[in-house]
Amino acid sequence: DTAVSQTPKYLVTQMGNDKSIKCEQNLGHDTMYWYKQDSKKFLKIMFSYNNKELIINETVPNRFSPKSPDKAHLNLHINSLELGDSAVYFCASSRNRQGAGVSPLHFGNGTRLTVT
Amino acid sequence: QKEVEQDPGPLSVPEGAIVSLNCTYSNSAFQYFMWYRQYSRKGPELLMYTYSSGNKEDGRFTAQVDKSSKYISLFIRDSQPSDSATYLCAMSAEEGNNRLAFGKGNQVVVIP
């Protein structure tokens, strides 16, 4: 069973469209994230949710809206897609363990978004 | 200057060689240091985790942290073709992953 699964795997769409990416984790983790990896492989956090509550919202355009219906799911909706949104989007999850340093991030296999 | 600098490579080595990767950083508050491995078309997976300065060994992998120089290293001994991947360093000043800063990743190719 895949621990962190995201769909779709590939997404090709035109500028101006609205699209969603779904993510589910079956690890029982409290915290979920969205990361963006650009063409130069640079991985940057976009959002972090802990128990369905938004913790981090980095400098991401408000065209991007995360939604967490429950702590096992974190979806990403993108409005009015732009060429610069083309990237690989990774969902990840981790335990939330206070006083225990850093818990490993468990990543999905990414959604390759191409905006034409 | 980015918080974490990592030479993207690629780095090609023959099978059996020692692979040496490193990252430098500017934030002296960083105290949690990680190496993630990312195979092509896959998500990154945690390889090594070190807290503060020192060395950590796990099988063929050794992670070193030199906080005085703001420099971390990953060594892979007896490299195998299956080690071919991109290696990303990551670090944080605080517990949890919310402020994790990643390097650009270093692509390694081990030639049989």
Side-chain angles (χ1 to χ4, degrees):
Chain A
D1 276 348
T2 304
V4 180
S5 58
Q6 49 183 116
T7 55
K9 196 172 178 179
Y10 298 95
L11 189 51
V12 181
T13 188
Q14 291 185 326
M15 281 175 56
N17 285 348
D18 303 338
K19 290 293 177 186
S20 291
I21 307 172
K22 294 186 176 180
C23 178
E24 176 182 1
Q25 55 96 2
N26 62 7
L27 296 167
H29 288 164
D30 301 306
T31 310
M32 296 185 72
Y33 313 80
W34 278 109
Y35 276 84
K36 179 180 180 181
Q37 190 171 45
D38 61 26
S39 57
K40 296 179 181 175
K41 297 286 191 180
F42 192 54
L43 197 61
K44 190 165 183 187
I45 193 167
M46 300 172 69
F47 301 103
S48 165
Y49 266 76
N50 187 44
N51 277 321
K52 304 195 308 174
E53 185 182 337
L54 180 65
I55 304 297
I56 277 190
N57 180 352
E58 291 297 304
T59 50
V60 176
N62 57 14
R63 297 182 295 105
F64 290 79
S65 52
K67 282 198 171 46
S68 182
D70 55 60
K71 75 173 195 177
H73 295 83
L74 181 62
N75 304 323
L76 184 66
H77 189 77
I78 315 169
N79 289 328
S80 304
L81 278 155
E82 300 178 357
L83 291 176
D85 297 332
S86 295
V88 182
Y89 292 85
F90 285 100
C91 177
S93 71
S94 70
R95 283 197 194 286
N96 182 18
R97 299 186 301 180
Q98 295 298 320
V102 174
S103 297
L105 282 166
H106 293 257
F107 285 88
N109 285 329
T111 295
R112 280 145 191 86
L113 172 65
T114 303
V115 182
T116 60
Chain B
Q1 182 194 10
K2 287 201 187 304
E3 273 194 309
V4 181
E5 297 281 357
Q6 184 178 9
D7 183 356
L11 179 66
S12 291
V13 299
E15 184 175 352
I18 295 175
V19 175
S20 173
L21 306 171
N22 58 73
C23 290
T24 58
Y25 60 93
S26 56
N27 187 346
S28 57
F30 284 151
Q31 51 181 340
Y32 301 98
F33 303 93
M34 287 134 276
W35 286 94
Y36 278 81
R37 177 175 61 194
Q38 184 176 17
Y39 289 115
S40 179
R41 303 285 178 180
K42 299 289 186 183
E45 55 179 344
L46 183 67
L47 191 62
M48 300 281 285
Y49 163 48
T50 311
Y51 172 68
S52 195
S53 280
N55 295 353
K56 186 172 186 178
E57 193 171 314
D58 183 1
R60 296 184 294 109
F61 299 89
T62 300
Q64 289 183 350
V65 174
D66 182 349
K67 288 186 71 178
S68 61
S69 303
K70 299 194 185 72
Y71 187 92
I72 70 170
S73 302
L74 177 70
F75 299 97
I76 308 173
R77 288 185 301 283
D78 187 25
S79 56
Q80 305 294 309
S82 59
D83 296 326
S84 298
T86 296
Y87 293 80
L88 302 102
C89 62
M91 47 197 82
S92 177
E94 58 187 57
E95 283 193 334
N97 292 298
N98 290 335
R99 298 291 174 208
L100 203 57
F102 279 88
K104 271 190 180 181
N106 196 306
Q107 186 184 0
V108 172
V109 178
V110 180
I111 303 165

